[in-house]
Amino acid sequence: MGRRRKPYPIFEKVEIIDAGSEGKAVAKVDDLVIFVPYVVPGDVIDIKIVKRKRSYLEGKAVKIHKESPLRIIPRCEHFGICGGCKWQNLSYDDQLKYKQKQVIDNFERIGKLEIPEILPIIRSKKQYFYRNKLEFTFSSRKWLTDEEMEEGTDQNMNGVGFHLPGMFDRIIDVKNCYLQEYPSNNIRKALRQFCLDQSYTFYDSRTHLGFLRNVIFRSASTGNFMVIMIFAKNDRDQINKTMEFLEKSFPEITSLNYVVNTKMNDSINDLEVLHWNGEKYIMEKMEDLQFKIGPLSFYQTNSDQAYELYKVARDFAGLTGNEIVYDLYCGTGTITNFVARQAKKAIGIEYIESAIEDANENSKRNKITNTRFFVGDMAKVLNPEFFEENGQPEVVITDPPRVGMHTKVINQLLLASPQKIIYVSCNPATQARDIALLAEKYELKKIQPVDMFPQTHHVENVSLLVRKA
Ligand code: SAH
């Protein structure tokens, strides 16, 4: 048996000094960095260490000596347990301040970049009820609240809600979620009650037993509302009863679907979505464009802010109608279509085939004829022959996933050397790293953070890079 390391003592009366990038606040004791969730800068607390990593520690607040004046009362009763909305105890203005700071810190620390014009972060129009997609999990092992614990242990453990952070097999039985508009909460509550009344079994992700597995709600600014029920067993009678219940009780649902998922994992991307009634998709609108969203199609989860984000990208691109524009990591081609009319030609690249089918269909629906879409891994698709065949870009818009761009992609961009690169990112750390690599040929001109996810630490950031003369 290995020798156990001596546990750290409780660190006493430590002041929280920053709101960290992973949604946890930051404390420092001598040279040790400690991340602590659910506290805010200015709090003075006792910290118990729960995990040690190579270069930092993770802790938990066990006593609060002084509450920071920045603290506000969180709106949601699940705050402190739920993994979402971890910044609810900060005012929205303070959240924005720390997001702006997060972008600057990453650009200075990781990118070692000289900060150019940094525009004040664009506020989200809605601070709650901004998400157009939520997925809830049914579970036979809900987390009991303190009050429920007091009531005794012989209670029904079935619930529907979100996973507890770090626990794949436990969920919070969500009472109200303030992230998605009506009728999201109403449907979830009615559905839970119906399933409990019918004594249907809720899924247990340890034993893989149980009938009800997940439910996904997707909404749109057009008022369309999609429900996708996910069952773990193909029990016709129970499926029909559940779907009939939803259909009859909620005429607000414009697209009703279900999936039978008997696999070990929760992903439904590789499964057939069966249509029950209503339309097979929902429609989203942006300016005069219409986007069709199927059950498995990607769409930015905050529709209002997606529009703000795209407008920034389009402004930075400053198109005149003569340019060839590339949209890298284009998803369902929303940005490609959004800028196409101001360009000579717009080319979208993405590795999910069904997303590219959606992208083509979105062009057709909007009578846009100058877009071309390609499927493939970016690091393989982008090469000198591809640029030769499809035209040298004057402008490249790139919106990679959190890991950022592959160095091969960065090298191809340096070779193709478009006049402008607009880098849209949901992770300022990898964005700063990539921009540092592009800096040999490009000058960072502007940075515009955009808030897409109020109550969380997430920040979207758009950078404008211009080729050096
Ligand atoms: N710009 C889009 C969404 C971008 S999300 C919009 O605003 O709607 C990032 C996209 O990159 C996802 O659709 C993902 O499937 C795609 N992607 C991730 N890694 C990739 C790779 N190596 N090659 C191509 N596409 C990739």
Side-chain angles (χ1 to χ4, degrees):
M1 235 166 66
R3 202 153 49 95
R4 292 191 60 175
R5 274 197 279 179
K6 214 169 86 199
Y8 279 100
I10 301 266
F11 290 110
E12 285 177 11
K13 295 196 176 162
V14 185
E15 178 163 354
I16 298 297
I17 54 169
D18 199 0
S21 60
E22 288 310 314
K24 291 178 179 168
V26 187
K28 257 191 182 167
V29 178
D30 302 325
D31 283 341
L32 285 174
V33 176
I34 313 172
F35 289 104
V36 189
Y38 307 117
V39 291
V40 308
D43 280 345
V44 177
I45 60 169
D46 288 352
I47 305 174
K48 183 178 177 217
I49 301 303
V50 292
K51 230 187 232 171
R52 46 174 118 200
K53 296 279 173 99
R54 188 186 289 266
S55 56
Y56 61 89
L57 301 170
E58 286 182 25
K60 181 167 116 176
V62 286
K63 184 171 178 188
I64 298 184
H65 290 277
K66 189 186 131 216
E67 291 203 346
S68 161
L70 298 187
R71 263 180 186 263
I72 63 162
I73 295 168
R75 180 170 187 174
C76 175
E77 67 181 281
H78 303 296
F79 178 83
I81 306 172
C82 184
C85 306
K86 283 196 192 125
W87 275 13
Q88 269 182 89
N89 54 357
L90 274 178
S91 73
Y92 188 54
D93 282 338
D94 285 323
Q95 293 176 24
L96 293 178
K97 211 172 83 190
Y98 283 105
K99 289 188 193 204
Q100 183 98 359
K101 179 172 181 296
Q102 203 190 110
V103 173
I104 296 172
D105 285 353
N106 277 298
F107 274 63
E108 284 178 349
R109 195 167 47 82
I110 299 176
K112 309 254 182 296
L113 294 159
E114 225 165 275
I115 305 285
E117 184 183 352
I118 174 158
L119 301 156
I121 185 166
I122 296 178
R123 302 170 74 87
S124 176
K125 289 213 179 68
K126 296 177 191 147
Q127 290 159 29
Y128 285 99
F129 302 109
Y130 58 80
R131 282 187 70 98
N132 58 29
K133 184 179 179 192
L134 282 183
E135 172 163 356
F136 295 97
T137 301
F138 289 87
S139 168
S140 59
R141 295 164 49 77
K142 73 174 181 191
W143 186 258
L144 293 178
T145 58
D146 290 345
E147 293 109 71
E148 285 169 331
M149 288 286 252
E150 273 167 29
E151 285 164 23
T153 49
D154 57 337
Q155 26 188 321
N156 191 322
M157 295 290 283
N158 289 331
V160 53
F162 299 123
H163 285 279
L164 261 92
M167 290 196 201
F168 79 102
D169 61 339
R170 303 301 297 265
I171 61 107
I172 297 152
D173 194 28
V174 172
K175 301 286 184 297
N176 269 305
C177 177
Y178 299 96
L179 286 176
Q180 190 175 35
E181 278 187 50
Y182 175 86
S184 181
N185 280 308
N186 302 55
I187 299 177
R188 191 192 59 261
K189 286 185 215 172
L191 184 62
R192 176 206 283 121
Q193 199 52 51
F194 172 80
C195 295
L196 289 173
D197 292 345
Q198 299 292 317
S199 302
Y200 291 165
T201 52
F202 288 40
Y203 197 67
D204 181 335
S205 45
R206 282 196 188 173
T207 59
H208 298 286
L209 295 172
F211 165 65
L212 298 154
R213 196 156 178 176
N214 307 89
V215 64
I216 299 172
F217 298 143
R218 301 193 71 166
S219 42
S221 57
T222 52
N224 288 175
F225 199 93
M226 175 187 281
V227 174
I228 310 159
M229 266 308 291
I230 297 141
F231 302 104
K233 274 193 237 163
N234 196 4
D235 181 323
R236 283 313 330 162
D237 180 51
Q238 292 190 9
I239 291 179
N240 289 346
K241 279 201 182 123
T242 312
M243 299 311 285
E244 274 161 20
F245 169 77
L246 285 169
E247 179 184 343
K248 295 225 171 74
S249 318
F250 292 98
E252 297 92 334
I253 301 173
T254 60
S255 171
L256 186 52
N257 313 273
Y258 70 96
V259 174
V260 177
N261 179 10
T262 57
K263 296 183 307 169
M264 292 299 198
N265 64 56
D266 278 347
S267 161
I268 59 161
N269 286 323
D270 50 349
L271 297 173
E272 190 185 358
V273 177
L274 300 154
H275 178 237
W276 177 268
N277 90 326
E279 303 285 349
K280 288 188 171 171
Y281 49 81
I282 52 173
M283 295 302 298
E284 188 51 276
K285 266 182 137 173
M286 197 182 269
E287 292 183 340
D288 58 340
L289 298 176
Q290 293 194 333
F291 297 111
K292 183 176 143 183
I293 304 170
L296 302 177
S297 307
F298 175 85
Y299 196 83
Q300 296 276 357
T301 42
N302 180 340
S303 308
D304 290 345
Q305 292 310 100
Y307 180 43
E308 296 304 318
L309 184 75
Y310 295 169
K311 276 193 292 189
V312 173
R314 190 173 61 187
D315 280 356
F316 280 6
L319 300 170
T320 64
N322 297 320
E323 296 86 356
I324 295 180
V325 181
Y326 280 45
D327 176 18
L328 309 185
Y329 311 89
C330 69
T332 47
T334 325
I335 297 181
T336 332
N337 281 306
F338 189 72
V339 300
R341 288 188 194 154
Q342 274 104 323
K344 186 158 88 189
K345 182 164 140 186
I347 290 172
I349 309 171
E350 155 69 43
Y351 69 5
I352 294 181
E353 205 169 330
S354 62
I356 291 296
E357 283 164 23
D358 288 340
N360 276 311
E361 194 167 330
N362 283 329
S363 286
K364 215 186 271 165
R365 177 172 292 268
N366 291 295
K367 303 193 170 54
I368 295 171
T369 53
N370 63 339
T371 51
R372 299 284 176 277
F373 293 100
F374 297 88
V375 186
D377 182 355
M378 203 63 60
K380 297 202 179 107
V381 173
L382 275 197
N383 57 39
E385 295 81 61
F386 185 89
F387 287 119
E388 191 65 38
E389 252 166 57
N390 295 287
Q392 294 295 333
E394 274 85 26
V395 173
V396 169
I397 299 171
T398 182
D399 183 9
R402 290 190 72 76
V403 293
M405 293 197 279
H406 195 288
T407 43
K408 281 191 186 160
V409 176
I410 293 174
N411 289 336
Q412 288 304 322
L413 288 181
L414 286 168
L415 274 178
S417 66
Q419 222 262 316
K420 285 181 188 167
I421 299 175
I422 291 103
Y423 192 148
V424 182
S425 167
C426 55
N427 184 350
T430 53
Q431 188 186 32
R433 177 202 67 197
D434 293 350
I435 291 177
L437 294 173
L438 289 163
E440 62 175 83
K441 260 198 183 163
Y442 286 88
E443 191 183 339
L444 176 58
K445 285 275 191 196
K446 280 187 198 176
I447 307 180
Q448 173 69 74
V450 180
D451 189 27
M452 314 270 289
F453 303 105
Q455 320 306 333
T456 78
H457 67 280
H458 291 285
V459 57
E460 201 83 14
N461 188 45
V462 191
S463 296
L464 169 64
L465 300 166
V466 177
R467 193 176 63 211
K468 290 177 186 165

